């Protein structure tokens, strides 16, 4: 009995393309869409399980939804003259309404209930122009990154080169500077206190000096008034004597 037609929609439908270089993991994406009104169980199998990592490699796709499957090709030595013989198969079946154990469902599934689709693998190397463009982009990004991190990398390298003895010396110098700052603060405080005390002492002296100056000024004014009065009396007496002589 022929197997039923695949109900899942695959994108891409027939071929998974992996684009080099293959010195690192290369990932291709396979999109599985369930257009039906039933949940569908699926499995992804390959003829070269050691060369690929598939996530997820099985599961359930709800009705009317889709899922992306990541197919990761492991690094290998690429030979352009060797054609890929790797293939993938997407196996599926309608999920029972009362399903509780997916593994049990797969074990109990009948051949006429299983649907499958096959895809071949193709390896491609980037063209020379693409390589040049990609290398220029990488160089630009690397240059920008190196410029941004230059100032941060240098201090890290310098600090990494310090040994324990130098670190200890730096710590002792910091402590000495802290003690010196504390000593200067105390001296500054003492100077301020002494300056305030001197100001308080100078104020009474200034007051006393001011009082003495005022007293001296008063005495001088008093002496001047006495002299003026004496001159006035003298002139009066002289005037009287001259008047009598005239008579």
């Amino acid at each position: 009995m022929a197997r039923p037609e695949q109900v899942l929609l695959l994108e891409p439908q027939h071929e998974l393309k992996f684009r080099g270089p293959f010195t690192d993991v290369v990932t291709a994406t396979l999109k599985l869409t369930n257009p039906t009104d039933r949940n569908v169980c699926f499995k992804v199998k390959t003829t070269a399980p050691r060369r690929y990592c598939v996530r997820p490699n099985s599961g359930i796709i709800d009705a009317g939804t889709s899922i992306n499957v990541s197919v990761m090709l492991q690094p290998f030595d690429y030979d352009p003259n060797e054609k890929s013989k790797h293939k993938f198969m997407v196996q599926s079946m309608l999920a029972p309404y009362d399903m509780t154990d997916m593994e049990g469902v797969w074990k109990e599934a009948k051949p006429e209930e299983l649907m499958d689709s096959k895809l071949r693998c193709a390896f491609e190397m980037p063209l020379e122009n693409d390589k040049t463009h990609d290398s220029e982009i990488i160089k630009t990004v690397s240059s920008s990154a190196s410029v941004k991190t230059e100032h941060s990398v240098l201090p890290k390298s310098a600090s990494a080169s310090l040994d324990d003895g130098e670190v200890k010396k730096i710590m002792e110098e910091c402590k000495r500077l802290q003690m010196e700052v504390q000593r200067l603060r105390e001296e500054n405080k003492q100077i301020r206190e002494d300056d305030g005390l001197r100001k308080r002492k100078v104020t009474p002296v200034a007051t006393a000096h001011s009082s003495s100056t005022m007293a001296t000024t008063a005495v001088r004014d008093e002496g001047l008034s006495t002299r003026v009065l004496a001159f006035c009396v003298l002139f009066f007496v002289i005037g009287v004597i001259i008047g009598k002589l005239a008579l």
Side-chain angles (χ1 to χ4, degrees):
M1 182 176 179
R3 291 188 176 185
E5 185 179 355
Q6 176 69 271
V7 296
L8 295 179
L9 301 179
L10 280 64
E11 185 181 346
Q13 295 182 353
H14 307 293
E15 187 176 70
L16 284 174
K17 293 183 179 181
F18 298 89
R19 190 173 186 184
F22 300 101
T23 55
D24 200 355
V25 175
V26 179
T27 302
T29 301
L30 174 63
K31 183 178 181 181
L32 304 179
T33 302
N34 178 12
T36 69
D37 56 357
R38 294 273 304 273
N39 293 346
V40 176
C41 302
F42 77 93
K43 276 186 177 182
V44 180
K45 299 180 179 181
T46 179
T47 57
R50 295 184 179 181
R51 300 286 298 275
Y52 298 90
C53 180
V54 182
R55 292 291 182 273
N57 58 4
S58 64
I60 299 176
I61 305 176
D62 294 335
T65 63
S66 61
I67 188 172
N68 288 329
V69 177
S70 296
V71 182
M72 291 165 278
L73 173 64
Q74 303 305 304
F76 71 102
D77 294 329
Y78 175 70
D79 184 359
N81 297 322
E82 181 182 354
K83 293 185 179 180
S84 173
K85 297 180 181 179
H86 303 165
K87 293 181 180 180
F88 277 84
M89 180 175 69
V90 178
Q91 199 170 40
S92 64
M93 63 177 293
L94 296 176
Y97 292 105
D98 57 349
M99 184 185 70
T100 56
D101 181 15
M102 189 170 63
E103 290 297 327
V105 170
W106 283 107
K107 291 179 181 179
E108 298 173 1
K110 299 177 182 180
E112 60 270 16
E113 295 176 342
L114 300 177
M115 300 167 281
D116 60 63
S117 299
K118 295 180 181 180
L119 300 93
R120 61 181 177 271
C121 297
F123 302 151
E124 296 179 350
M125 288 296 291
L127 300 175
E128 291 299 325
N129 293 337
D130 295 339
K131 287 183 179 179
T132 303
H133 180 67
D134 293 341
S135 62
E136 289 178 354
I137 293 176
I138 293 173
K139 288 181 180 178
T140 303
V141 173
S142 301
S143 300
S144 301
S146 62
V147 170
K148 290 181 180 179
T149 59
E150 181 179 359
H151 297 290
S152 60
V153 169
L154 287 177
K156 289 182 180 179
S157 300
S159 62
S161 63
L162 294 176
D163 56 15
D164 295 338
E166 292 177 345
V167 173
K168 186 176 180 180
K169 289 181 181 179
I170 292 173
M171 295 298 295
E172 291 177 353
E173 183 67 17
C174 289
K175 290 182 180 179
R176 189 187 67 77
L177 291 176
Q178 290 177 354
M179 293 176 64
E180 183 69 18
V181 170
Q182 183 65 26
R183 185 182 65 79
L184 291 175
R185 287 179 178 174
E186 292 178 357
E187 290 183 358
N188 189 26
K189 183 178 179 182
Q190 186 65 33
I191 291 172
R192 289 182 179 179
E193 292 178 355
D194 294 343
D195 187 57
L197 183 60
R198 283 197 299 271
K199 287 182 178 179
R200 286 194 295 272
K201 289 182 178 180
V202 169
T203 300
V205 173
T207 304
H209 179 70
S210 177
S211 300
S212 176
T213 303
M214 292 176 64
T216 303
T217 303
V219 170
R220 288 178 180 177
D221 292 342
E222 184 177 357
L224 181 61
S225 300
T226 302
R227 290 193 187 95
V228 172
L229 180 61
F231 279 123
C232 290
V233 172
L234 179 60
F235 287 146
F236 178 75
V237 171
I238 292 172
V240 171
I241 293 173
I242 293 174
K244 286 182 179 184
L245 291 175
L247 293 173

